[in-house]
Amino acid sequence: GDSVTQMEGPVTLSEEAFLTINCTYTATGYPSLFWYVQYPGEGLQLLLKATKADDKGSNKGFEATYRKETTSFHLEKGSVQVSDSAVYFCALITLGGSSNTGKLIFGQGTTLQVKP
Amino acid sequence: EAQVTQNPRYLITVTGKKLTVTCSQNMNHEYMSWYRQDPGLGLRQIYYSMNVEVTDKGDVPEGYKVSRKEKRNFPLILESPSPNQTSLYFCASSLSHRNEQFFGPGTRLTVL
């Protein structure tokens, strides 16, 4: 079945460091890809999305590019802030085939801690 | 403000006492869904609804019921809660099953 694999955390960085969180996926259909962020005690917020190969999603300084050839959607940010400390989830929705239900398939989440 | 709301946000109950968690969205979205989040198991879909009066099981539907009588509301019903349903529950909605989903703030349920 479809799946998402994220790098394990926690990831601890100093403020202004470069961030990469790796995400790879397996899908039989034509997935749309997402990054969600969960701040402590809160719900999931959509951070960015990409719906087809080579699309780049971006928001709040975060970027991710849909790479079909490597089945990856790595999250990057050039300079992290303390306020970026949260759990980040990579997710997909498969469109087409028998999995056309709209179900979001999530990775396990990666905890990011940014220290001043 | 466009949003998904859930109530209650926190609930402690006892085994067997029926409860309902409400979910409402004001974005005229067709698709709505319930997920539960558990440590080590991640987020899993419980039920979803493609539109009014159309609901279907997700990956972990046992012990839950839903209804979709109006477009904006999608309540989650636990007719006889058990301790293994202690979890953090999220409602989500989207324009259609093809689009990004927007999540409510979550309901933390404890069943004693």
Side-chain angles (χ1 to χ4, degrees), chain A residues 19-21 35 47-48 62-64 73-77 88:
Chain A
L19 168 70
T20 300
I21 300 178
W35 277 100
L47 184 58
L48 52 84
F62 291 90
E63 292 183 340
F73 192 54
H74 305 320
L75 182 68
E76 296 182 336
K77 187 176 185 184
Y88 292 81

Side-chain angles (χ1 to χ4, degrees), chain A residues 2-116:
Chain A
D2 296 352
S3 65
V4 175
T5 301
Q6 288 180 237
M7 61 187 289
E8 288 195 23
V11 173
T12 303
L13 296 173
S14 297
E15 209 165 22
E16 299 184 4
F18 184 87
L19 168 70
T20 300
I21 300 178
N22 290 336
C23 171
T24 57
Y25 67 88
T26 302
T28 53
Y30 309 100
S32 292
L33 302 174
F34 308 91
W35 277 100
Y36 282 87
V37 58
Q38 186 175 29
Y39 297 101
E42 297 186 14
L44 285 86
Q45 298 177 25
L46 178 67
L47 184 58
L48 52 84
K49 67 175 184 179
T51 58
K52 60 183 187 297
D54 300 324
D55 268 2
K56 176 186 280 189
S58 61
N59 186 25
K60 299 181 181 180
F62 291 90
E63 292 183 340
T65 301
Y66 188 141
R67 301 284 188 201
K68 188 176 180 182
E69 63 276 13
T70 54
T71 61
S72 64
F73 192 54
H74 305 320
L75 182 68
E76 296 182 336
K77 187 176 185 184
S79 176
V80 294
Q81 306 300 313
V82 173
S83 57
D84 293 326
S85 298
V87 181
Y88 292 81
F89 292 92
C90 185
L92 66 82
I93 293 176
T94 300
L95 302 175
S98 60
S99 303
N100 206 20
T101 66
K103 177 175 67 177
L104 270 169
I105 297 172
F106 289 91
Q108 289 298 309
T110 302
T111 300
L112 171 66
Q113 184 177 21
V114 181
K115 296 187 173 180

